[in-house]
Amino acid sequence: IGIFDSGYGGLTIFDKIRAAMPGYDYIYLGDNARSPYGTRSFEVVYRFTKQAVETLFNEGCQLVILACNTASAKALRTIQQRDLPQWDPARRVLGVIRPTVELMDKISKSKHVGILGTTGTITSDSYSLEIKKMFPHMTVTGEACPMWVPLVENNEFDSPGADYFVRKHLEHILAADPEIDTLVLGCTHYPLLIEKIKAFLPEGITLFSQGEYVAASLTDYLRRHPEMDIRLT
Ligand code: DGL
């Protein structure tokens, strides 16, 4: 199983996947040399992600998880529909947006959810479109937090600068829709800011961190697809 992210952030997802399914062999690929992806165009994110998936396939992976929300938002569909059938229809590429979206109706009581993500993820509207398709009664508000990844990457996540940017985006999204009761950390780096985010979050709002849910969804996927016989013996 290959796990891909634009950089280190995807380790927050990989950690949970490996804990849930220790009986598999994993390769983690983080594109640190070219991160961040969050500010790049559709074309560039697609091209970089496609190269990463090809690399992981060449290493023998049968299944690749795009742990990166930006790559899931901008490249997954094209890879699944256009590239995969040509490469090898028996292999699979899965993302992190679908398993997150599937749980929104269950987790949110007010049916108003907020998505925190990179500029790329938010402007792609992927979360909003997917949630609306599955749960038309739900209201979705997105907030791009372009400074959060650089804060993590530069080891500034506990600085007064981080306080400013974390509070700014939380206030902004909650002002845009005061009925939000669930906020999705829609970027692999954001769990590293979770303590700071909690410190500025009003009571009664659930923070949704993807890792364990993506791991549970993958466990379920592999159970439903025994033809993907990739467990270590
Ligand atoms: N890994 C990316 C994501 O989950 C964020 C980091 C980046 O901008 O490259 O969206």
Side-chain angles (χ1 to χ4, degrees):
I1 298 178
I3 314 277
F4 169 66
D5 188 58
S6 59
Y8 291 124
L11 291 169
T12 59
I13 306 263
F14 178 38
D15 238 20
K16 305 286 183 195
I17 290 179
R18 193 168 41 178
M21 291 182 297
Y24 291 85
D25 199 6
Y26 296 96
I27 300 178
Y28 181 87
L29 174 60
D31 190 5
N32 292 88
R34 302 188 294 195
S35 78
Y37 280 21
T39 45
R40 294 186 187 269
S41 68
F42 264 88
E43 201 281 325
V44 171
V45 172
Y46 165 63
R47 186 157 44 88
F48 287 178
T49 306
K50 185 179 166 187
Q51 287 169 354
V53 173
E54 271 183 305
T55 302
L56 288 165
F57 279 169
N58 289 338
E59 291 292 327
C61 296
Q62 296 298 308
L63 169 66
V64 172
I65 309 298
L66 302 184
C68 181
N69 283 266
T70 309
S72 297
K74 293 187 158 188
L76 178 65
R77 184 156 303 171
T78 313
I79 289 175
Q80 283 175 332
Q81 293 178 354
R82 199 168 69 190
D83 303 314
L84 203 52
Q86 292 172 24
W87 287 333
D88 181 353
R91 301 201 202 193
R92 291 285 174 271
V93 183
L94 304 173
V96 288
I97 294 180
R98 188 65 187 256
T100 304
V101 163
E102 280 171 356
L103 293 165
M104 287 300 108
D105 188 48
K106 200 161 98 193
I107 287 185
S108 171
K109 291 196 172 52
S110 71
K111 308 303 172 197
H112 288 245
V113 301
I115 311 296
L116 303 164
T118 63
T119 304
T121 298
I122 299 305
T123 55
S124 76
D125 243 3
S126 300
Y127 272 99
S128 183
L129 294 170
E130 287 284 323
I131 293 174
K132 284 293 194 184
K133 204 160 34 169
M134 216 173 278
F135 308 116
H137 57 286
M138 294 193 78
T139 302
V140 188
T141 305
E143 173 79 5
C145 313
M147 287 303 290
W148 288 16
V149 169
L151 284 167
V152 170
E153 290 282 332
N154 291 291
N155 217 14
E156 290 281 346
F157 51 87
D158 208 17
S159 66
D163 286 6
Y164 172 81
F165 284 109
V166 167
R167 189 157 50 191
K168 174 181 162 171
H169 290 297
L170 291 179
E171 283 176 359
H172 196 245
I173 191 167
L174 294 174
D177 180 0
E179 288 185 66
I180 286 173
D181 71 349
T182 304
L183 278 177
V184 174
L185 300 181
C187 172
T188 52
H189 283 65
Y190 297 176
L192 298 163
L193 282 166
I194 200 159
E195 292 311 320
K196 199 146 285 287
I197 297 170
K198 278 183 186 160
F200 292 115
L201 203 62
E203 254 180 60
I205 296 183
T206 303
L207 266 188
F208 185 93
S209 196
Q210 295 174 310
E212 64 191 88
Y213 300 101
V214 169
S217 165
L218 181 57
T219 311
D220 182 53
Y221 179 87
L222 289 169
R223 199 172 40 234
R224 286 184 290 110
H225 292 272
E227 76 280 5
M228 297 216 81
D229 191 16
I230 50 180
R231 184 182 284 271
L232 288 178
T233 49

